[in-house]
Amino acid sequence: MQHAETSSGGLLDKFCSFKVGPVPLPLYICFAIIIFAASYYGKLPKDMIGGFAVMLVMGILLGDMGLRIPILKDIGGPAILSIFIPSVLVYYSLLDGPAKEAIIHFTAGKNGGANFLYFYIACLVTGSILGMLRQVLIQGFLRMFIPLILGTVASCLVGTAVGTMLGHGLFETFFYIVVPIISGGVGEGILPLSAGYAEIQGTDPGRFIAMVAPAAMLGNVTAIICAGILKRYALKNPHQTGNGKLVRVGDDNLNLTKEEEPIDVTILGMGLLTACCFYLFGMLVNLVIPIPAPIIMILSAAIAKATGIMPKIAEKAAYQFYLFVSKNLTWALLVGVGVCYTPWKDVVAVIQPSYIITVVTTVLAMVGTGFFSAKFLNMYPVEAALVTGCHSGLGGTGDVAILSAAGRMELMPFAQISTRIGGAAVVVMAVILMRMFYAG
């Protein structure tokens, strides 16, 4: 009898000590029940509270599962599960009603919503730039364009050649498969690309959106898996990675940032304010200079860091707030990405061998070029491959997913440049080429 009580007590202790992410299991179950009940009875608000509640409870669970499942954990499991499980749930109407509405309203900023995605990117970009060493920042921005250009050329050549050999045709492969993958996401890439194609061919842009979006989504999945593999490779080959540092600066023991500093909670509000103001500055400059606000935000933060005009306390505050956001809110954001930007029907529609092979080889050409060109540019191969690989992602959402799968969110500023400037250049190039070669 005493043995049975001891055994029962041991099981109870194990149950109470087990954690889902950082949350003890009994408390997690309690939180999940409260959120489900609020949604079921129509008491879940479509604002920050409702959005955070649903996305955090799902993101913590899915991220934790992704870290535990064998094989999957080595190829970006947390990011893959956090994006695609919610996408599947929405597709089968298992995630619907107030919960879905709260996520969409909070993540995408639709109908006056919060636009959590851009808030997250602003915090990561500003904090990671201001937390860098000046020499790493300057050398990184100057050197990253070489592997980016080489990777773009390689992916166009390899992807088009493979797709043509597999029967998709030269024109179709290049314009409808390869270009969408490296066009810079949905808002900055797929939409203007489709509008350009539609104008040239005199038809509805919606037709092209449905045609090119699946390639971009599958390319993003491939890039996430590549990031997970690179993370695993880096653990076995530490000399090939800077652990988030892009450029070798002579002293390999030199830290990119000072993450070991204890968090000072009294300055986190200043860090939040700093991130918001850099983004708003980008919005203001965009009124007179036709450059996307996120790019202006990146450049202005980089200039502020390079010139040393920001007070050290503001740099420290922005960096420490970035640490808080990246370590606590990433999986929650990816749940929003899955619900808002990853329609499962579009992913399923392209599951045919020749299409998948074309997409995968396109992304591998991009990532591989970054990896192998790094040694000639005094860059770390793993980080260079990740930055160029982000050119295959779905804009800012793709950058988050790819870098989180690799555990190197410090590369966000370089990833944003790769995605946005690289994507914009590809869109312009593709529209010009289609106008030249489209026969009608």
Side-chain angles (χ1 to χ4, degrees), residues 208-278:
F208 291 103
I209 294 174
M211 188 182 299
V212 302
M217 292 177 185
L218 187 56
N220 193 57
V221 176
T222 306
I224 293 170
I225 294 174
C226 287
I229 294 172
L230 284 168
K231 180 181 180 181
R232 184 72 174 176
Y233 175 84
L235 293 174
K236 296 183 177 181
N237 301 272
H239 62 287
Q240 297 277 53
T241 178
N243 295 310
K245 183 169 64 177
L246 182 61
V247 179
R248 300 179 190 270
V249 290
D251 182 1
D252 285 344
N253 295 317
L254 195 62
N255 288 329
L256 174 66
T257 52
K258 296 181 179 179
E259 185 171 338
E260 67 277 6
E261 285 191 49
I263 298 292
D264 183 354
V265 296
T266 64
I267 63 173
L268 292 183
M270 178 174 27
L272 170 59
L273 178 61
T274 302
C276 292
C277 286
F278 268 102

Side-chain angles (χ1 to χ4, degrees), residues 11-69:
L11 289 174
L12 181 61
D13 289 341
K14 287 184 178 180
F15 175 78
C16 293
S17 62
F18 188 85
K19 291 185 176 182
V20 180
V23 185
L25 180 57
L27 185 60
Y28 179 87
I29 294 174
C30 180
F31 287 159
I33 291 173
I34 291 172
I35 294 167
F36 176 80
S39 177
Y40 183 80
Y41 289 105
K43 294 298 182 181
L44 187 76
K46 293 187 295 182
D47 57 14
M48 182 182 294
I49 293 178
F52 262 138
V54 178
M55 293 162 64
L56 280 169
V57 78
M58 293 184 65
I60 288 172
L61 175 62
L62 295 172
D64 189 69
M65 288 173 57
L67 290 171
R68 295 175 186 270
I69 298 175

Side-chain angles (χ1 to χ4, degrees), residues 371-383:
F371 186 91
F372 291 109
S373 66
K375 66 178 182 179
F376 302 106
L377 299 166
N378 205 30
M379 301 167 76
Y380 288 101
V382 169
E383 279 69 21

Side-chain angles (χ1 to χ4, degrees), residues 133-164:
L133 292 170
R134 290 179 65 251
Q135 61 265 45
V136 173
L137 174 71
I138 295 169
Q139 292 181 33
F141 272 106
L142 291 176
R143 296 184 193 182
M144 65 167 287
F145 286 101
I146 297 176
L148 179 61
I149 293 171
L150 293 176
T152 300
V153 173
S155 64
C156 288
L157 294 176
V158 173
T160 303
V162 170
T164 303

